[in-house]
Each structure stands twice: as structure tokens, then as C-alpha cells.
Amino acid sequence: MNAIYLCVYAQPWIQVSQQLESKFDIKPSYVVYWDVDKQSFTNMNWHNCYLQSLDQAWKGCDFPSHIDRYIFDEEELKAISHYELIALNMMDRLDPDGESFPFNNRLQFFRDLMGYWYTIVENRAIELVIAPSIPHRVFDYALYVVCKIKNIKFIMFQLTPFGSNSIIVDDIDNMPNLSIDNNDDLVPSKAIQDKITKVCGEYSKAIPDYMVQHEANDKKEYTLSPVKRLKKVLRPYRPRLKKPYTYWVKKGFSPKDARYSWREFYDMEAKRNEIVTRFREVYDNMTVSSLPDRFILVALHYQPEETSNPTGGVYSDQTLMIQLLDQHLPKDVTIIVKEHKSQFYTQLESASGRNTHFYQRIAKISERVTFISEDYNPFELIDKAQAVVTISGTIGWESAIRGTPAIVFGRAWYEQMPRVFKVKTKQDLQKALPQLKEQKNKDLHDEIIRFHAVLEDSFVLAKHYKAYLDNNDVTMEESAINIVDSLESFLNTNEGSS
């Protein structure tokens, strides 16, 4: 069986590939690797295996030069129009200022990527793709779409907030079904129970690790010494031997041809900071300080990021969730919208995920739509809300644990948890809304504990992705063993399915 390893680090993935080839004859035929590990992968000398760096893949570069890119006809493109729409929106992260990567260029870029991958999987007789994360960099999503077309197994790992534990999935839109027997007296590990206990307490003790890191980085940016600030101002004028690496598209160029000078890079960086400042001012001017008696909380996702695109599908346009809620909620229920704090951190990709029109458009949906400060205590909002709405955010999990129903519009690792309603259609929403009152503060503690115990059985404890590399809860050797064992179990369980 020929396989593609997509966006992998040398360790533990070289060891994983060796074990899979030895045990199950799964041969590495194509590898997209992180550039820091170029030498490690080059030294493998795999027979007939093509190596491509992630940096080049981002730009649509360095595909095999001898291949004839597949061209899709009208009927084929109609069949994948849903995926294409998601991909076009996904390219926001390549567009640094919202003006440099127009629609037609995005369309051509994605179709070129799919054409390359289509020919590659055919020429190399690919039967399996393994990716450490959900594809969200456009080039990897293009491969996912091709695998859908050709019925090729695509295995991904869904991250969880429990250390280095993840869950194997093969469908961006759905989690694997869990068999939860209400008669089983199951309990999860102490680590998970401790995490649940924290969520039941004060927010200051339960802040997600990534939020802590984002805030620390933001404070660091704003507490630079005068000397460091001067150096930052002078950066564009310093001579550099190498041009900056970025996957940002440059206006008038395709992704593969875009090259920024240091001056251009820092000018764009300053422009992006100004964009964030402007839309933050718009948001701040729309917020209210008091809460109404009855409200639904819509917790916006930081964008652009995988947790909303592709995980949310069409609901990566978060205004669509609010429009549906406005259409179906009782008229006396207010819709409170809370922005994600990370959206205002300039060291992230925030400028590509918002503009001043975003909040104005939401405000025009209805007079009952209002905004609350991004600094408002999330747990206080959760406890007072009738429900919390999110695509797939951690706040939905926190909400269900604390007693408030959660409505998720995307694929969430906790979507089968009690008090969580997955909504993809108007009918789903109409079915969920009447149940909110009965579910609010209902004693579901035992059921929630049981859910986590069953979920834990599907965990893969491994440093499979860059976000886990610094964790100390598992070694690289153990990671490789756990990944191989879990892949074997998953493939055997899902043999014959697409």
C-alpha cells in the first residue's frame, strides 16, 4: 500500500513510517515535511519516495516537475463546489491585507493544487494519506478533496485539551461514533477528572493553555524596552542577506511567485496592525456593559484557523449562525456576541480574519443582536446564558460541563457529549431549541463523566503534532508505538469504509 505522509516532523513520524512499512507493508511514496527536518528525511533514501517541503507546498511549489496536472471539467467541479467554497475562504490566511489575493486568483490556485494532487495519487497509486492534523493550509485541504473524489482513506488526528492526547478521524465533518452504555459505571483518568473539576470552578484557574500563551506574547509585544522599540522601527532599513519567508501573497503575484523584501514585509506587518486596531475600535464602540434577562451567547472563533475552517464548513462564515438563530429563536431572547480575545492580538494572523464590516454586518441582522466585551468573564456569561453557540470551541465543552446547553455548528471533539446539540440544518436547530430549558442545569454529572471515560478509550497519547512537541507526558519512542497501534486498530475497524 502506497501512502502520503502530510506535514510531518521527523520524529516520531520517521519511526512510525518504518514500523508501518515493516508490519503492514505501508510504503512512504510522498512526504510533505517541515523544513527543519529536511536532512533527516533526505537521509532516509526511501525508494521512489518524493519529498516536498511544507514551505514550498504552502505556495503551491515544488510538485514533481514531470507530472501533467489534471484538468477538471464542469460536472466534476459542480460535484466539489461545496469544498471549493470552503477552500476559497481558507485562503484568507494567505491574503495579508484582504486585498492581495482576489477571487479569480484564489480559484485558479485551488484548482491547480487539486490538479497536481489528482495526478500524484493516480501516478503513485496512493491508497492512504496520513496527516498529524486536520488539513487547513489549502494545499493539504486540496489533497483531502481529491481523496474524497477518489475514495482514498485520509486519516487525521483531532487535538484535545488533554495533554498530548488526540483522536483519529477520517472525516472532517464528523467524529467517530462512541458507544456509550448508560449502565456502565465508567470513570475517566484522574487527569481528565481534574480538568473537569477546574472547569466547574473559577475561570482564572481554568484558562486554556493556548489562551495563556497568546496573552503572554501580546503583553511581551507591548512591554518592549525603548531600545528594542527603536530597533523594531529600524528593522526595515537593516541590510539582510536573505529575504523574509512568508506564505503571504503579494498583490499582483501568484503565491508561488510572491517574494517580499524586508521593507515590504515590515510595511505589510504595520498595515496589518492598523487593520486590527481599526476593527477593534469598531467592536469596542458596539459593546454593552449589562446583560439582559434572557440571552443566547454566541462565542466567536479566532480566525483564520482550522477550528472554524474547515471544521465549521459553511459556518466558518459565523454571521450565518447568528442569522439562523435570529430566524428561529423566540423574539424575547437576546443574542449576545462575544469576540475571541485572540482576535485582537496583532502577533497572530488576526488581520486576515476580520475587517470593520464584519461587526457592522452582524449588528444589522437584528436589533436584538448585541456585543459584549471580549474581556467579560466567560464562565459568568455561560452560567447566565440559556445556551452557548460555537462552531467547535472549547467554550462549548466548558458550557455543557457547567450546566448550560451548547450548540455546535461544526465538528467538535465533544459533539456527542450530553447537553451538546450538533446543528447543521434549520431542522436540527428547530429540534434543539425546545430542549434548552429542560437541559439547563439538569443533573447530568454521571453521564458527562461516563462520556469522558468512553472518549478516553479512543485517545492516542503521542507527540504527533508540533503543538505537542514540548509536552512531557509521553516520550517520542512511546509516541511512535502508540501511533502505530492506534492506526492499526483504526484501519482494522474501518476496513472497507470510505
Side-chain angles (χ1 to χ4, degrees):
M1 178 187 297
N2 293 332
I4 293 176
Y5 287 87
L6 193 60
C7 308
V8 291
Y9 276 93
Q11 294 302 331
W13 285 102
I14 286 179
Q15 192 173 348
V16 168
S17 67
Q18 291 173 324
Q19 292 186 32
L20 289 178
E21 183 170 14
S22 174
K23 289 184 176 182
F24 312 111
D25 198 32
I26 297 175
K27 300 180 177 66
S29 180
Y30 199 108
V31 174
V32 179
Y33 61 86
W34 287 79
D35 290 56
V36 294
D37 290 327
K38 178 178 180 179
Q39 196 59 52
S40 297
F41 283 101
T42 302
N43 290 342
M44 290 305 298
N45 290 319
W46 280 310
H47 176 68
N48 194 33
C49 179
Y50 189 84
L51 301 178
Q52 182 182 23
S53 78
L54 186 143
D55 286 354
Q56 292 300 306
W58 260 114
K59 293 173 170 289
C61 299
D62 201 27
F63 286 100
S65 58
H66 64 279
I67 66 172
D68 294 323
R69 179 168 48 83
Y70 186 80
I71 306 300
F72 296 87
D73 63 26
E74 182 175 296
E75 291 304 311
E76 290 172 317
L77 291 173
K78 282 182 180 179
I80 61 168
S81 58
H82 166 72
Y83 299 111
E84 197 166 60
L85 179 64
I86 292 171
L88 293 173
N89 179 237
M90 191 181 293
M91 291 182 217
D92 282 352
R93 65 191 312 171
L94 278 72
D95 192 346
D97 58 359
E99 303 173 352
S100 298
F101 202 11
F103 173 82
N104 284 339
N105 293 19
R106 294 188 184 202
L107 194 63
Q108 293 165 6
F109 182 59
F110 186 64
R111 290 177 180 176
D112 284 350
L113 289 171
M114 285 202 306
Y116 285 126
W117 284 124
Y118 194 102
T119 302
I120 288 167
V121 299
E122 278 206 333
N123 289 357
R124 293 182 169 270
I126 301 297
E127 298 180 64
L128 176 67
V129 177
I130 300 174
S133 64
I134 307 302
H136 60 283
R137 301 175 180 89
V138 187
F139 72 86
D140 51 356
Y141 186 70
L143 176 55
Y144 175 80
V145 176
V146 167
C147 288
K148 281 287 187 182
I149 295 171
K150 299 184 68 63
N151 201 31
I152 295 171
K153 180 70 71 178
F154 194 114
I155 295 179
M156 306 157 276
F157 290 74
Q158 170 62 53
L159 277 64
T160 75
F162 306 109
S164 299
N165 286 297
S166 58
I167 303 168
I168 293 180
V169 298
D170 63 357
D171 183 353
I172 282 178
D173 297 317
N174 297 286
M175 293 296 295
N177 288 325
L178 298 176
S179 178
I180 303 176
D181 188 343
N182 290 333
N183 296 319
D184 287 342
D185 188 22
L186 300 175
V187 293
S189 64
K190 183 178 183 301
I192 290 181
Q193 292 187 64
D194 289 346
K195 196 98 172 178
I196 293 172
T197 300
K198 279 188 176 182
V199 171
C200 292
E202 298 177 6
Y203 181 69
S204 60
K205 298 179 180 179
I207 302 175
D209 293 340
Y210 69 90
M211 288 295 297
V212 174
Q213 187 61 52
H214 286 179
E215 186 167 4
N217 291 340
D218 189 64
K219 287 182 178 178
K220 183 178 180 181
E221 179 71 16
Y222 283 95
T223 56
L224 293 176
S225 67
V227 173
K228 288 184 177 180
R229 284 189 179 276
L230 179 60
K231 287 182 178 180
K232 185 175 180 180
V233 171
L234 296 176
R235 282 188 308 184
Y237 304 98
R238 294 172 60 190
R240 304 292 182 99
L241 296 177
K242 291 184 178 180
K243 289 187 176 182
Y245 169 76
T246 178
Y247 47 72
W248 293 345
V249 174
K250 190 174 178 180
K251 194 169 186 177
F253 293 84
S254 67
K256 66 179 180 180
D257 295 323
R259 297 290 185 274
Y260 279 77
S261 67
W262 283 106
R263 176 64 182 272
E264 290 169 332
F265 178 80
Y266 289 128
D267 284 348
M268 180 59 75
E269 191 178 65
K271 183 178 181 180
R272 286 164 61 83
N273 291 347
E274 291 174 4
I275 291 172
V276 176
T277 299
R278 287 199 299 270
F279 69 63
R280 180 169 192 169
E281 289 175 351
V282 171
Y283 183 83
D284 288 344
N285 289 332
M286 289 182 168
T287 58
V288 298
S289 56
S290 59
L291 299 177
D293 292 333
R294 301 184 67 201
F295 68 91
I296 295 284
L297 174 65
V298 178
L300 297 179
H301 277 251
Y302 161 76
Q303 292 177 305
E305 188 48 277
E306 174 267 316
T307 54
S308 65
N309 190 343
T311 296
V314 298
Y315 297 108
S316 61
D317 175 6
Q318 297 182 88
T319 57
L320 181 57
M321 299 190 304
I322 301 169
Q323 289 170 326
L324 288 172
L325 290 168
D326 180 58
Q327 186 179 71
H328 294 283
L329 281 172
K331 295 302 180 183
D332 62 339
V333 177
T334 300
I335 300 172
I336 289 185
V337 179
K338 181 180 182 295
E339 182 59 283
H340 198 291
K341 286 188 70 171
S342 296
Q343 201 67 53
F344 299 133
Y345 295 156
T346 54
Q347 83 276 7
L348 299 175
E349 295 179 310
S350 307
S352 297
R354 295 284 188 272
N355 56 44
T356 55
H357 301 295
F358 179 79
Y359 305 118
Q360 294 167 347
R361 180 173 180 235
I362 291 176
K364 290 178 181 178
I365 292 174
S366 170
E367 291 183 355
R368 63 163 156 179
V369 176
T370 189
F371 298 86
I372 199 78
S373 170
E374 75 280 5
D375 289 321
Y376 206 106
N377 187 315
F379 283 4
E380 182 179 342
L381 290 171
I382 286 172
D383 295 344
K384 293 181 178 180
Q386 292 186 311
V388 169
V389 178
T390 179
I391 294 177
S392 66
T394 303
I395 195 170
W397 171 67
E398 296 167 336
S399 178
I401 288 175
R402 292 183 68 88
T404 298
I407 298 174
V408 298
F409 279 81
R411 174 194 43 76
W413 61 265
Y414 56 85
E415 64 185 36
Q416 296 170 55
M417 181 176 166
R419 210 163 13 230
V420 175
F421 299 89
K422 183 172 183 176
V423 168
K424 300 302 284 185
T425 67
K426 294 177 182 178
Q427 290 72 30
D428 292 338
L429 185 58
Q430 290 168 343
K431 184 179 179 181
L433 292 179
Q435 302 180 61
L436 300 183
K437 184 176 180 180
E438 186 267 337
Q439 289 284 311
K440 175 75 174 179
N441 292 327
K442 182 179 180 180
D443 184 5
L444 296 174
H445 178 268
D446 291 346
E447 290 88 340
I448 287 174
I449 291 296
R450 189 179 300 114
F451 162 81
H452 284 85
V454 175
L455 184 74
E456 190 172 23
D457 282 342
S458 65
F459 281 174
V460 183
L461 180 60
K463 297 181 182 183
H464 71 283
Y465 186 56
K466 64 175 181 176
Y468 289 169
L469 291 181
D470 293 332
N471 292 354
N472 58 11
D473 53 354
V474 64
T475 67
M476 279 299 180
E477 186 74 24
E478 292 168 334
S479 295
I481 294 171
N482 292 343
I483 291 171
V484 171
D485 290 346
S486 298
L487 286 173
E488 178 184 9
S489 176
F490 188 88
L491 289 169
N492 289 338
T493 302
N494 295 272
E495 188 175 1
S497 65
S498 59

